[in-house]
Amino acid sequence: MPEGPELRLAALYVNRACAELVFAGRVEKSEVSRNPEVPFESSAYRIAASTRGKELRLTLSPLPGARPPRQPLPIVFRFGMSGSFRLAPAGQLPRHAHLRFYTAPPAPPQALCFVDVRRFGRWDPGGHWHPGRGPCVLLEYQQFRENVLRNLSDKVFDRPICEALLDQRFFNGIGNYLRAEILHRLKIPPFERARTVLEALKQHRPSPELTLSQKIRARLQNPDLLELCHLLPKEVVRLGGKGYGSEQGEEDFAVFRDWLRCYGVPGMSSVRDGHGRTIWFQGDPGPMAPKGGKSRKKKARKSQQVPADGAEVPPLPRRRRTRKPSRKTAEGDPPPTSPRGPPGPGTTPPQAPEAPPDPEKGKRTGRRCTGRRRPQKTKASTPSGESGGTPAS
């Protein structure tokens, strides 16, 4: 799921890819998307992107003299589970491109696409930053820190620190992999009470005798939890790549995987928190760990063995599943004959099917048919001409 750094990377990609491009026409939405139409059309406009935590805003700004004359339109995006932006040739649109902005002629036609495979992403034309989200951990650090320390009486800080870190009212931009990395690098158990961890930061004040450069050096060498909420997203942004734009590829993800120390790393443990989200950690989970929660360890995948001569190892043969023959055959169907021909001497030929029973015989009322026949009881006193069977008891 894209977190604050991924949305920041997406905004940097859009600004870099669209810096020299002019767009025109109307904004096109896919037929399958349930998001609203974007009521915007212009003969010439530009696109710029900005972010705040887990939200990205595109601003469509008409150029001077563009028709029809209109004001810039902001569109706020939330990426959901798989949202991203991609610039592609207009004739080769990527799959799952649910919102498209086309460039103006005479340049080769291109489209900036919002691509969302799982369709959890949302956009809001004319919208603003969500009022329920706090300051951005990446771009508004001082406001973010003050907002957390000022509201430690909130009931969310009664919960484990791993769950509090996902509350976007206070940690706007932090997600699942960032919370695991932050707590692991500070050696904080994920199920320690959040207020216990954060109240100690109120007393943490740098010495007034230190110079500004000394304060910065001290913060970088020994960051606290709130400082790491700011520094680790900056590190991810500096890594670049992460699947955005034309430079997407396995090497981008390899760099990101090398950066991870805890999240999904072999040897680390994981357990589900109170919201059902998996938290990765090492060592003791903490006093508020869910009761009965089973801790699982990530095992390293065995690499495929390669012979010394460099020849490829042939894949193991797949086992074929065989169907068991049916126990029952349809009534009246003869058994299958051998492909070698008619049965030899001494074998019993297949019996001819019996005549179907008289539908009136054995007819009962008030009883459901279960598919099984009960043996009929015969009594000496029963008249031979009576067509009905034994009455139901």
Side-chain angles (χ1 to χ4, degrees):
M1 181 176 185
E3 303 182 17
E6 285 71 50
L7 272 81
R8 185 62 185 164
L9 285 168
L12 294 174
Y13 166 71
V14 169
N15 291 334
R16 182 175 64 252
C18 303
E20 304 297 329
L21 296 178
V22 176
F23 294 81
R26 65 181 186 88
V27 181
E28 187 176 88
K29 183 180 80 74
S30 70
E31 296 180 355
V32 297
S33 175
R34 296 182 179 180
N35 281 298
E37 295 280 353
V38 177
F40 184 88
E41 185 172 1
S42 176
S43 59
Y45 66 95
R46 292 191 183 275
I47 295 179
S50 58
T51 59
R52 185 175 186 264
K54 288 190 177 183
E55 295 178 303
L56 182 146
R57 181 170 62 195
L58 288 188
T59 302
L60 315 184
S61 303
L63 296 180
R67 296 293 177 183
R70 59 168 305 149
Q71 295 295 318
L73 176 70
I75 311 173
V76 176
F77 289 82
R78 299 171 187 92
F79 279 21
M81 297 292 291
S82 58
S84 66
F85 279 98
R86 192 177 308 171
L87 185 66
Q92 301 175 7
L93 296 178
R95 296 182 62 188
H96 311 290
H98 296 300
L99 197 64
R100 304 178 280 268
F101 307 84
Y102 291 95
T103 58
Q110 299 183 81
L112 177 66
C113 306
F114 178 67
V115 181
D116 187 11
V117 176
R118 301 185 66 179
R119 282 191 249 168
F120 287 125
R122 295 289 178 264
W123 60 75
D124 181 15
H128 303 280
W129 301 127
H130 195 288
R133 293 178 179 266
C136 175
V137 299
L138 190 60
L139 303 177
E140 301 170 312
Y141 168 69
Q142 199 57 45
Q143 298 94 309
F144 149 70
R145 186 181 185 95
E146 293 171 1
N147 183 47
V148 172
L149 297 179
R150 187 174 58 246
N151 292 284
L152 288 182
S153 59
D154 192 277
K155 63 181 181 180
V156 71
F157 297 109
D158 293 330
R159 304 188 65 85
I161 185 63
C162 66
E163 296 178 13
L165 283 171
L166 295 183
D167 194 313
Q168 301 300 296
R169 294 176 300 160
F170 303 105
F171 298 92
N172 188 10
I174 301 297
N176 212 24
Y177 81 80
L178 279 174
R179 70 168 177 170
E181 294 298 318
I182 291 166
L183 296 175
H184 172 72
R185 299 185 192 207
L186 293 174
K187 295 181 173 56
I188 297 176
F191 291 95
E192 186 67 60
R193 189 180 300 274
R195 188 176 292 107
T196 303
V197 175
L198 295 169
E199 275 185 339
L201 304 185
K202 282 186 171 182
Q203 315 302 327
H204 178 67
R205 294 181 180 276
S207 172
E209 299 178 357
L210 297 176
T211 64
L212 179 59
S213 61
Q214 289 174 331
K215 291 179 182 179
I216 294 175
R217 189 182 304 112
R219 193 182 77 177
L220 294 176
Q221 291 175 350
N222 300 294
D224 60 32
L225 186 141
L226 297 180
E227 289 168 344
L228 218 54
C229 287
H230 170 67
L231 295 174
L232 286 193
K234 287 179 67 175
E235 288 185 15
V236 177
V237 172
R238 282 197 295 266
L239 293 178
K242 198 65 172 58
Y244 288 107
S246 58
E247 57 274 344
Q248 66 175 348
E250 180 61 27
E251 63 276 3
D252 296 326
F253 293 99
V255 171
F256 177 71
R257 281 197 300 265
D258 292 341
W259 176 83
L260 293 171
R261 299 184 190 176
C262 178
Y263 181 80
V265 173
M268 297 295 164
S269 302
S270 66
V271 71
R272 293 189 182 276
D273 63 15
H275 299 304
R277 302 286 300 275
T278 300
I279 174 68
W280 294 86
F281 63 95
Q282 185 180 36
D284 180 24
M288 299 183 71
K291 295 180 180 180
K294 294 184 179 180
S295 176
R296 298 172 293 174
K297 269 201 172 182
K298 175 86 171 182
K299 296 181 180 180
R301 293 183 179 179
K302 294 182 179 179
S303 56
Q304 188 177 8
Q305 297 180 356
V306 181
D309 56 1
E312 293 185 0
V313 179
L316 295 175
R318 296 180 62 182
R319 305 175 85 183
R320 293 187 177 181
R321 296 177 63 182
T322 56
R323 291 187 177 181
K324 295 182 180 180
S326 176
R327 295 182 180 178
K328 296 182 180 180
T329 57
E331 190 177 349
D333 290 347
T337 58
S338 170
R340 297 180 180 178
T347 60
T348 306
Q351 299 291 332
E354 297 181 0
D358 186 0
E360 295 295 328
K361 189 175 182 179
K363 185 175 181 182
R364 300 178 185 180
T365 59
R367 179 185 291 270
R368 294 178 59 188
C369 179
T370 61
R372 297 181 181 178
R373 289 185 177 181
R374 294 177 60 185
Q376 296 183 358
K377 296 181 181 180
T378 57
K379 293 184 180 180
S381 59
T382 306
S384 60
E386 220 171 13
S387 60
T390 344
S393 56

